[in-house]
Amino acid sequence: MKYKNYSNKYIIITGASLGLGKALAKRFALEGCNLILLSLPGEGLANYSRMLANEYGVKILHFETDLCKGENIKEFADWVLNQKVQIAGLVNNAGLGGSALFEQTSISLIDTMLLVNVRALTLLTRYFLPALKAQEHSFILNVSSIAAFKPMPFKMVYPASKAFVYSFSVGLGEELKDTGVHVAVMHPGPMNTSEDNEARIGKHGFMGKGAWLTVDDVADIGVSKMLAGDKVIIPGVYNKVIIRLLKFIPRIFAMPMIYKVLSKEVFSESERQSI
């Protein structure tokens, strides 16, 4: 696949106003791709869209909505399809995570995480797949996480939701292997997506700093690898090594190690010493 396959066609990117989604939008715009950007209301998407359009000379449509609601997902899909533009790519980036004791996590947050990370991604893929299949060359890039490869305490339902994204993407990719739709799933590690995220990852010490990449680096690696035909993308050498090690370390040893690292996000030093 090459960018020339997407000339005068549009790529949809969800969660495009912040963090990795914002970096992915810039990365595709840099290559001259037209974009359809989606974000929550009130995150400055209109201004960012105008900036990208002016700087890179591409056409950009934008839409603001909350993907927690099924009717909003359909409304967005209908709006895109009514634009009568050719859709060459779908980047399912929108998602949310965090760190907390599961019992102390609100029902609302758990529900939101599942609705956005799992349902919205799945339904958007279903809504846009016929349009993608209508192109000679197109792609779906789903954003998962390195958390998909090992259960993790203190991450609520986030790792399980990202494991779903991995399984769904690989299965769908096999189903579509004889079509023009390439399906890839990307598993980023720690990134500078927000000040809160930087603070949490900073508590991991060497483990967190070693895996750290900027959102621009992850976007560049993800897009380049996807266009090269990779199906499973793990940005960063350190992350690749960690994932390989965790696959070979028995769970009885791996889980206490993960617990020790991630407990730093939810417990104070004195609380951890008393556990």
Side-chain angles (χ1 to χ4, degrees):
M1 290 184 290
K2 301 294 182 183
Y3 281 106
K4 64 182 180 180
N5 294 326
Y6 308 136
S7 177
N8 299 317
K9 299 175 184 177
Y10 284 78
I11 295 169
I12 301 166
I13 304 176
T14 67
S17 61
L18 300 169
L20 180 58
K22 192 173 184 178
L24 285 166
K26 180 180 177 180
R27 182 64 171 78
F28 279 111
L30 179 66
E31 299 297 336
C33 299
N34 296 329
L35 304 174
I36 299 174
L37 304 181
L38 173 71
S39 79
L40 284 167
E43 294 186 340
L45 185 63
N47 289 336
Y48 186 58
S49 298
R50 282 192 292 270
M51 185 276 289
L52 289 178
N54 292 334
E55 185 169 347
Y56 299 103
V58 296
K59 298 175 182 178
I60 299 182
L61 302 172
H62 65 274
F63 194 95
E64 297 181 345
T65 194
D66 185 349
L67 292 177
C68 288
K69 299 179 181 180
E71 60 268 27
N72 291 355
I73 298 172
K74 187 177 188 306
E75 180 185 14
F76 171 65
D78 289 342
W79 177 82
V80 171
L81 296 174
N82 286 334
Q83 301 299 315
K84 305 301 182 183
V85 298
Q86 293 182 304
I87 302 169
L90 170 64
V91 181
N92 280 309
N93 166 74
L96 70 158
S99 300
L101 290 168
F102 180 73
E103 187 180 8
Q104 295 177 4
T105 306
S106 70
I107 298 297
S108 175
L109 178 56
I110 292 170
D111 194 36
T112 297
M113 199 174 294
L114 290 172
L115 290 174
V116 176
N117 294 5
V118 175
R119 187 181 70 167
L121 177 146
T122 307
L123 293 183
L124 287 172
T125 302
R126 175 62 184 85
Y127 280 129
F128 292 121
L129 185 55
L132 292 167
K133 289 182 70 176
Q135 305 299 319
E136 183 178 2
H137 298 284
S138 62
F139 70 85
I140 298 168
L141 175 60
N142 291 329
V143 177
S144 179
S145 166
I146 59 171
F149 296 110
K150 209 72 175 181
M152 292 183 175
F154 310 120
K155 289 296 182 180
M156 300 167 282
V157 296
Y158 178 78
S161 71
K162 291 304 185 178
F164 169 87
V165 174
Y166 168 68
S167 177
F168 171 69
S169 301
V170 173
L172 182 64
E174 184 67 17
E175 184 176 326
L176 297 175
K177 65 181 181 181
D178 295 325
T179 73
V181 184
H182 173 65
V183 181
V185 57
M186 180 164 61
H187 298 272
M191 297 178 289
N192 60 329
T193 54
S194 67
E195 291 184 3
D196 175 68
N197 191 53
E198 289 188 50
R200 286 191 292 105
I201 300 303
K203 296 178 180 178
H204 295 180
F206 172 77
M207 291 289 288
K209 293 178 181 178
W212 187 270
L213 291 173
T214 69
V215 290
D216 289 328
D217 287 338
V218 173
D220 185 61
I221 294 169
V223 172
S224 299
K225 292 290 187 181
M226 184 275 296
L227 288 172
D230 287 19
K231 297 178 180 179
V232 179
I233 303 164
I234 303 171
V237 174
Y238 186 94
N239 290 324
K240 291 185 178 72
V241 171
I242 290 297
I243 289 171
R244 288 184 180 276
L245 286 175
L246 288 176
K247 285 183 178 180
F248 290 104
I249 298 175
R251 186 174 58 189
I252 192 173
F253 298 118
M255 293 311 296
M257 292 169 54
I258 296 172
Y259 181 100
K260 183 177 181 179
V261 172
L262 296 182
S263 66
K264 297 176 182 179
E265 294 187 30
V266 296
F267 297 122
S268 66
E269 181 66 26
S270 60
E271 287 174 325
R272 285 189 289 111
Q273 290 178 354
S274 65
I275 295 175

